[in-house]
Structures are given as C-alpha cells and as structure tokens.
Amino acid sequence: MEPLAPDVFTTQAKELSEAEKQKLEEQNKRGFVPEFKANKLETDAQRNWDIFYKRNETRFFKDRHWTTREFQELLDQEASEEKRTLFEVGCGVGNLVFPLLEEQTSEEGCFTNKRFYFYACDFSPRAVDFVRSNPLYDSNQITAFQCDITTQQVHEHISSGSLDVCTLVFVLSAIHPQKFKDVVQNLWKLLKPGGLVLFRDYGLYDMAQLRFKPGNKIAEKLYVRQDGTRSYFFSEEEVSKLFKENGFEIITNAYVHRRTLNLKEGVDVPRIFLQGKFRKKSD
C-alpha cells in the first residue's frame, strides 16, 4: 500500500454518498446475527483468535513502524533517568512492541539513553507464544503474558499505578461494546497519574465497514468476519465520552482519513481510523 496524499485529521464524521448509504441499508436486509450466534461468538472469541494465529502465524500484520511518527510520546524524550513503562494491550505477535524494542536497542536509535520496559498481553495464548519465541524477546526488557483485558486478570501481572503509557491499537474494535468500559477502567487503574493511553482503531464508515454483506451485522457498528472474529467501528463522540467518563482527559481525538493505493490491484483505498491520546487525571 502506497499513500496517495497526506492524512487528513478531522472531528467530523464522513458524509456518505447515496451509494454508500445504500450499502449500509443492504446490510440490514437480513437483520442482526441471531442472538444465539452472537453469544457463541463471544464465548468462542479466544478460540477464534487462536485459530487466526494458527492459520496466519506471524505473516498477517505488518510491523507498525508508523507508531513513533503518530505518537511522539513513544520517543521517550522526557528528562528522566528512570526507565519508563509501556504496556501494549492486544500485542498479537508483537508488530508494535518489537519495532520499538529494536529501535530502542540500536546504537543509532533515539532510545539509546532513556528506555522503556515493555509489557505486552494478548487474548490468544498462541499469539503470546509467538512473541516469546521472537529472537528479540528478552525478559530484561519485555514481559509478555496471556490475559483477557476485560477482566481483572491483568492486575496479577502489572501493579496498579505503575505504567507511563498504554497502547490500544486496533484492539478495542475486537471486543464487545458492552466491555469497552471494563477495558478503559483497567487501564486507568494501571497507569500512573498523568499516564497516557495511545489509541487507534477503525473509524465510523471506514471502507471495511461498508464492505460487509447482509448477515454479518451483530449490532449497530459491530460486525463478524468470516473467521469468526469481530470488528467495531468507532465514532469520535463515543470514544471521547468513554474516556471522559472513566477518569481521563482528552488530549487529541480525531478521525484520520487516509488514501492509499493498492499497487497489486491498482485500486484507490480510502481508509478511516480514529486516533486519540488520553491522559489519566491526577487525583
């Protein structure tokens, strides 16, 4: 994928064309996924992600080298001798944490003098196994563990009030909306006062949302993919409300409109993400 133009940041939701409105209406023709199936998707969520990683191993997601560009906080430029702590929620096979770790340990990297200690968790035990078997994995610099971030399990691994930064990148969309609050409250407990959540996920009316066919809609803005994993598409207002109501102040929160060219197919691909930075309020 090659970018066609600079990203556009806006707090305004996309205005749909008539054809796009029609696509969303088509999705409703078969109604929502039956309740028993929706409940089974929730019960089988971990299994479906484990099968996903069994099938794709480390090949599916590209390394996220863009994160330091989008989130300058990851460059750790504070004048502190103390090693800071970063927690990647939903680490998958380490596509975010390992590029950061690699840059941190390189002689020419901007992390040379001041470094993070990394924590990384994923719902899928298989994904965590891939992280631990990566040649860059070093327990002196990173701890990876399996947990369901919607439960209290994470507190068995990380002390309350100990983290400087949490990343929540394309993770919340895979969780049922009824549990969003549980995730944000867990991160609030783990962060130091003034600690940051760096958020990026699928935005409302992203191309991926418009492409879903009838029969894949679980609830408003929540869909099931063919492999049984789920995807939710966020509005700016609801994410702002979610963090505000759970002890955070909003630094930034906006839609990112990105146009990329699929070189293989020669297709212009418009994407919409939601990107935000949220700070834990001091008591």
Side-chain angles (χ1 to χ4, degrees), residues 262-281:
N262 184 323
L263 295 174
K264 191 175 179 181
E265 300 177 14
V267 177
D268 179 357
V269 183
R271 302 304 308 265
I272 302 173
F273 306 122
L274 193 69
Q275 184 167 302
K277 301 175 189 177
F278 309 97
R279 182 183 287 120
K280 177 178 176 174
K281 291 179 182 177

Side-chain angles (χ1 to χ4, degrees), residues 66-227:
W66 53 265
T67 50
T68 52
R69 182 186 72 237
E70 298 292 343
F71 298 120
Q72 288 293 310
E73 292 79 2
L74 297 177
L75 295 176
D76 189 20
Q77 294 167 334
E78 289 188 1
S80 170
E81 294 303 316
E82 194 176 326
K83 186 177 280 192
R84 301 173 74 214
T85 50
L86 182 147
F87 178 33
E88 183 187 1
V89 181
C91 62
V93 297
N95 297 102
L96 185 150
V97 74
F98 284 126
L100 289 178
L101 187 58
E102 196 167 20
E103 195 169 350
Q104 170 168 298
T105 53
S106 71
E107 290 183 1
E108 298 175 3
C110 42
F111 293 91
T112 306
N113 297 319
K114 305 178 185 72
R115 299 181 176 182
F116 280 107
Y117 185 88
F118 297 99
Y119 293 95
C121 83
D122 201 90
F123 196 22
S124 162
R126 193 180 297 271
V128 174
D129 287 342
F130 280 122
V131 171
R132 289 176 176 160
S133 62
N134 189 300
L136 289 171
Y137 190 84
D138 175 359
S139 58
N140 291 317
Q141 299 190 75
I142 179 172
T143 297
F145 57 93
Q146 187 278 332
C147 89
D148 178 352
I149 194 62
T150 69
T151 70
Q152 297 300 301
Q153 293 172 6
V154 68
H155 302 289
E156 298 168 15
H157 300 271
I158 304 175
S159 301
S160 296
S162 67
L163 297 175
D164 293 287
V165 179
C166 293
T167 63
L168 201 58
V169 176
F170 297 107
V171 174
L172 208 58
S173 55
I175 293 170
H176 196 285
Q178 291 176 352
K179 297 183 177 181
F180 289 167
K181 184 178 177 182
D182 298 324
V183 176
V184 175
Q185 287 179 345
N186 273 335
L187 299 189
W188 186 92
K189 290 176 190 172
L190 293 170
L191 284 164
K192 298 173 183 176
L196 293 173
V197 174
L198 307 180
F199 174 90
R200 186 170 172 124
D201 220 318
Y202 299 110
L204 187 65
Y205 306 141
D206 176 51
M207 172 199 70
Q209 181 181 6
L210 300 175
R211 280 185 169 179
F212 277 106
K213 305 296 184 191
N216 291 92
K217 195 170 183 179
I218 302 171
E220 285 304 322
K221 299 183 285 186
L222 179 65
Y223 300 81
V224 58
R225 301 186 185 97
Q226 285 188 329
D227 62 5

Side-chain angles (χ1 to χ4, degrees), residues 209-251:
Q209 181 181 6
L210 300 175
R211 280 185 169 179
F212 277 106
K213 305 296 184 191
N216 291 92
K217 195 170 183 179
I218 302 171
E220 285 304 322
K221 299 183 285 186
L222 179 65
Y223 300 81
V224 58
R225 301 186 185 97
Q226 285 188 329
D227 62 5
T229 62
R230 295 167 297 183
S231 188
Y232 186 85
F233 297 85
F234 293 92
S235 72
E236 181 269 334
E237 295 88 351
E238 69 183 313
V239 173
S240 291
K241 185 170 183 281
L242 175 66
F243 279 90
K244 269 185 182 176
E245 290 182 349
N246 290 287
F248 288 87
E249 60 177 308
I250 298 164
I251 302 171

